[in-house]
Amino acid sequence: MNTITVLAQTPTPSGAGAEPPHATDFETLFSYITWAGTVLGVVTFIVGGALLTWQRSIGRTERAEKAGMMLFGGLALAVLPSGLRFLLFDTDTSTEAEATDTAMPTGTAVPTSAPVPAVSPAEPASPTEPVDWTPVIYVLGILAALVVVAAAGYLVVRTRHRILDRRAAQATLASDFVAAKTVYAQVADAYAEYLADPYAIFTRPLLDDLDQPRTAAFITAFTDAGALNTDTCPATGERVQAFATAARAAQEAWRAADTYARAIGLRVQTDDAKRTVRRIRSALDLALDDSAAAGERASAMKTVQRLSNGLMTIPDRIYVSTKTAIESATRKQLTR
């Protein structure tokens, strides 16, 4: 083999500005990393936007601010790697391209008198090395893991918020139910106090008159509220709201009926009627006196019934309670 053949087969050395092989590998790896950062930023941006929209829809303004920070952080993470990749590599590539275009190749002049080299047999081409996909697989695995972690975190946060919202709603429901029961109990206690006072017939007799519109409205509202009153809190907010509304309606109806009954009173005008009312009250005092004899109490109750006929209405509950008290006193006297 002559000298020209040896020179032709000798590899041409790299230029002065040529990069070492490991620089290309570093650029590829850095490109993968920046692309991974960009994808992660996009995922964070999407998740932050979804959280921001959801938090604002349910009225959680304090947590919406955190979602907004996550949104802007994802935007910055998506843009920053692209900027770094442009600054570090695109500028160098364009500069090297310009330098290559302006540089004049220098070659070694071959003497024309040199003998023509003998043509050697063509050597077989070296086999192409397979592409190393390991960095791509690593990057895709990292991205998949990040997406899974982000999705799992979002589901955990969403589930936690749902549990907290459900507990808050249940606590509010129980609080509303307790408040409604308190209103209903106040009305029931006031009405029971009236029924237990036998002398209330002299000040508020219209509360026993079902023909009076206000009294009839109260009895209807009180019955409706009692039908919705349960020992335990209902499972739905509609039932609690219905009970609360009925309890407030019963309270308003009681106040209207009680105020009107107190204002009207017995409606006696003449002096004879007033004297008769005083005699009825005295007879009722004797009938309710536990120290009086049973016969005296029974006679006094008959006097009350006789004097009130045509003047005022004595409720049946007063006759029943007085009769029960007299019978109890009679049994005690017989057992002595």
Side-chain angles (χ1 to χ4, degrees):
M1 185 180 295
N2 54 23
T3 304
I4 296 178
T5 304
V6 173
L7 291 176
Q9 294 179 353
T10 302
T12 304
S14 303
E19 294 181 354
H22 64 269
T24 304
D25 296 338
F26 173 75
E27 180 179 351
T28 303
L29 180 60
F30 186 81
S31 178
Y32 288 151
I33 294 174
T34 54
W35 278 115
T38 301
V39 174
L40 177 60
V42 172
V43 172
T44 305
F45 180 81
I46 295 174
V47 174
L51 287 176
L52 179 62
T53 304
W54 183 59
Q55 296 293 349
R56 287 187 174 179
S57 64
I58 62 176
R60 295 180 178 270
T61 56
E62 68 281 357
R63 295 182 179 178
E65 295 179 357
K66 296 181 180 179
M69 295 177 61
M70 183 178 180
L71 179 67
F72 288 109
L75 180 61
L77 186 60
V79 174
L80 184 60
S82 300
L84 290 176
R85 188 166 58 249
F86 175 78
L87 292 176
L88 293 179
F89 295 105
D90 289 356
T91 304
D92 295 341
T93 304
S94 59
T95 303
E96 291 174 1
E98 293 177 358
T100 304
D101 294 338
T102 55
M104 296 296 294
T106 57
T108 304
V110 179
T112 55
S113 61
V116 178
V119 179
S120 60
E123 296 181 359
S126 60
T128 304
E129 295 183 0
V131 179
D132 187 8
W133 294 98
T134 303
V136 178
I137 295 174
Y138 285 160
V139 171
L140 293 178
I142 293 174
L143 289 178
L146 291 175
V147 171
V148 171
V149 170
Y154 172 73
L155 292 177
V156 169
V157 172
R158 184 177 180 181
T159 304
R160 180 174 178 273
H161 286 289
R162 285 186 175 180
I163 294 174
L164 293 177
D165 292 341
R166 190 180 299 112
R167 290 179 179 176
Q170 188 64 30
T172 303
L173 196 68
S175 177
D176 294 341
F177 180 69
V178 170
K181 286 186 73 72
T182 301
V183 174
Y184 178 79
Q186 291 174 354
V187 178
D189 291 342
Y191 187 50
E193 182 182 357
Y194 165 78
L195 295 177
D197 183 11
Y199 297 100
I201 60 175
F202 299 103
T203 58
R204 297 176 287 173
L206 289 182
L207 290 178
D208 279 288
D209 186 4
L210 296 182
D211 293 332
Q212 212 288 320
R214 292 176 178 82
T215 302
F218 161 68
I219 295 299
T220 302
F222 186 67
T223 303
D224 293 342
L228 296 174
N229 184 23
T230 57
D231 295 333
T232 58
C233 179
T236 60
E238 290 77 8
R239 293 190 60 185
V240 173
Q241 185 62 34
F243 175 51
T245 302
R248 288 192 295 268
Q251 186 181 48
E252 294 176 359
W254 166 255
R255 289 174 179 173
D258 182 61
T259 302
Y260 183 75
R262 290 178 185 273
I264 298 301
L266 279 173
R267 294 180 293 185
V268 292
Q269 301 287 334
T270 64
D271 293 337
D272 291 340
K274 292 179 180 178
R275 282 194 297 268
T276 303
V277 170
R278 286 194 292 268
R279 291 177 63 188
I280 294 173
R281 189 177 185 111
S282 298
L284 185 61
D285 289 340
L286 180 59
L288 297 175
D289 189 2
D290 293 336
S291 61
E296 294 178 346
R297 297 177 67 179
S299 178
M301 200 63 210
K302 291 180 181 179
T303 302
V304 170
Q305 186 176 8
R306 177 175 54 84
L307 293 176
S308 62
N309 188 18
L311 178 64
M312 59 181 296
T313 302
I314 304 298
D316 293 338
R317 68 176 183 277
I318 296 180
Y319 291 115
V320 173
S321 61
T322 304
K323 182 180 179 181
T324 303
I326 292 173
E327 292 176 352
S328 178
T330 302
R331 285 194 298 268
K332 289 181 181 179
Q333 290 177 358
L334 294 176
T335 54
R336 289 179 181 176

